[in-house]
Amino acid sequence: MKHKLAYRLAVTYGLIFILAVAVIDTALIIVYRDNQLKKNESFYFDLSSMLSTMVKNNIRITNYINTSEENGDRNAGRVLLLDASGKVLLDSGGELSGVSMTNLEYRKALENGKPAAGYYTYGDKGMAMFSYPVSIEGKTSAVVMISVFIQDIYDDINRFAIQVIATSFAVAFAVVIVSVLMGKRLSEPIVRLTAAAGQIYKGKMDTIVEVARNDEIGRLAGAFNRMSSELLKVETGRKRFLSDVSHELKTPLASIKALVEPIISGAANEEESREYLQDIDHEIDRLSGLVGSLLTSARLEEVELKRQELILAEEVDYTVRVLAPLAAQKQIVLENACDRTIVIQADRSMFREVLINLLDNSIKYGIEGGFTRVECTRKAFKVIDNGCGIPEEDLPGIFDSFYRADKSRTGASGSGIGLFIVKRIIELHGFGISAVSQPGKGSEFTVTFYPDV
Ligand SMILES: Nc1ncnc2c1ncn2[C@@H]1O[C@H](COP(=O)(O)OP(=O)(O)OP(=O)(O)O)[C@@H](O)[C@H]1O
Ligand SMILES: [Mg+2]
């Protein structure tokens, strides 16, 4: 069942409602029934009280009680006057006169000196019996008895009960329908989210769920969509990275193979062979550089940051020392213009990787006799050079993996993974990185320590 939640909700609401309504209905019917019977009771007690007073005052009641037209007629009823021994002194019906009889109501009125009422069924009809004592000087000497059919009152009570129960059933039905609809409205986006999650599981990463709602479910859908677009980005990045890696590995391997073949077949003479072997050596260097970079970038995904206090100027000193021989080849001056008091919280080996990559680039893409200067403030540090610069159209891509700006400008070759690693390390630290450059004039890379502050 797709909307299990909706039906569960409807059943729960329905049951709670029916239970509540059953209690209310029962109470209502009981109160109504008691009310109707009480009204009837008080009418006949009034009547019998009047007859009792007349008997006490020796007024003949025969004229009054004989007015009944027909026994069993509720309005007329049947009136009896019994003495203390149970003998019928008067009977509105006539035939019981002189007969001895006792019943519960009679005995109650006689013994307690109080009126009593009892309810019976006669045939299939409801009947009520009322007794009223005739007390003279505190002693009950006779009892007025009235029996009357009250089936019409019972019918009225039954009609009332049926109406109340029918109304309740109609409302309960409506409640169940409304709960199903409400539950469906509630669970519908969840059903869609579940289906979308299934799609993502099957690899359809660009699945988006449209939920135009402002509540928790709307926010859940929003979070889901953000997650799926993030997954899509990661997945696309992963695929692109993989194909880039394969491509980058294939190219030097193919050229190595092309260089090896004439040597093996003997088609190349000794001088050519030496030249080819030098080229092969160069390609192997490139390959091992690439594999080293790949390993570094793979390690970044697993390694945890070990932050410690670093004096920035000292780290720059170290990098300058490491790269000095490379810089010397192009007579590039490496200048550390950092304030010695600036301390940052960073992972030492990762941070050195950043500095080495940035300075290595500025040397690799620098001009003969140029310079590279590292400046820093409390908020950021800059690596500035007067090298070949980066064309405007290439700037946005330089931090992507395997991105190389036009090689013909510099003749320098790299795998294009250095800045990708730099960016990843910077992000891991929560820092920011940006670059500005003017082709032919130089570049400036800025690492911001606390971009949000
Ligand atoms: N200081 C710079 N001056 C001019 N161009 C630069 C500079 N730094 C980076 N670039 C350009 O950005 C590209 C990407 O740099 P990145 O460091 O990622 O790759 P790479 O240096 O080519 O190779 P790798 O660092 O992996 O050996 C470079 O190919 C180069 O075109
Ligand atoms: Mg580089």
Side-chain angles (χ1 to χ4, degrees), residues 237 240-241 244 397-404 415-417 420:
R240 212 194 58 214
F241 188 76
D244 286 352
I398 54 169
F399 295 106
D400 293 345
S401 54
F402 303 109
Y403 192 94
R404 281 159 296 206
S415 51
I417 210 166
F420 174 69

Side-chain angles (χ1 to χ4, degrees), residues 293 357-358 360-366 385 387-390 398-400 402-406 409-410 413-420 437 442-443 445:
S293 300
N357 268 294
L358 291 177
D360 173 63
N361 280 351
S362 73
I363 297 166
K364 200 155 51 170
Y365 307 110
D385 65 46
C388 67
I390 307 162
I398 54 169
F399 295 106
D400 293 345
F402 303 109
Y403 192 94
R404 281 159 296 206
D406 186 7
R409 290 177 301 127
T410 58
S413 67
S415 51
I417 210 166
L419 287 180
F420 174 69
S437 185
S443 316
F445 283 80

Side-chain angles (χ1 to χ4, degrees), residues 119-140:
Y119 293 90
Y120 304 92
T121 347
Y122 189 79
D124 55 353
K125 283 183 174 173
M127 205 186 95
M129 190 93 84
F130 304 99
S131 60
Y132 205 95
V134 181
S135 302
I136 298 166
E137 290 168 3
K139 212 172 160 308
T140 305

Side-chain angles (χ1 to χ4, degrees), residues 65-83:
I65 62 177
N66 276 342
T67 50
S68 58
E69 281 169 13
E70 189 189 9
N71 293 338
D73 177 347
R74 174 178 171 260
N75 295 323
R78 181 169 190 164
V79 185
L80 300 172
L81 182 66
L82 280 77
D83 72 6

Side-chain angles (χ1 to χ4, degrees), residues 7-23:
Y7 292 107
R8 199 171 285 173
L9 211 72
V11 169
T12 313
Y13 278 166
L15 281 181
I16 293 174
F17 186 82
I18 287 169
L19 207 75
V21 157
V23 172

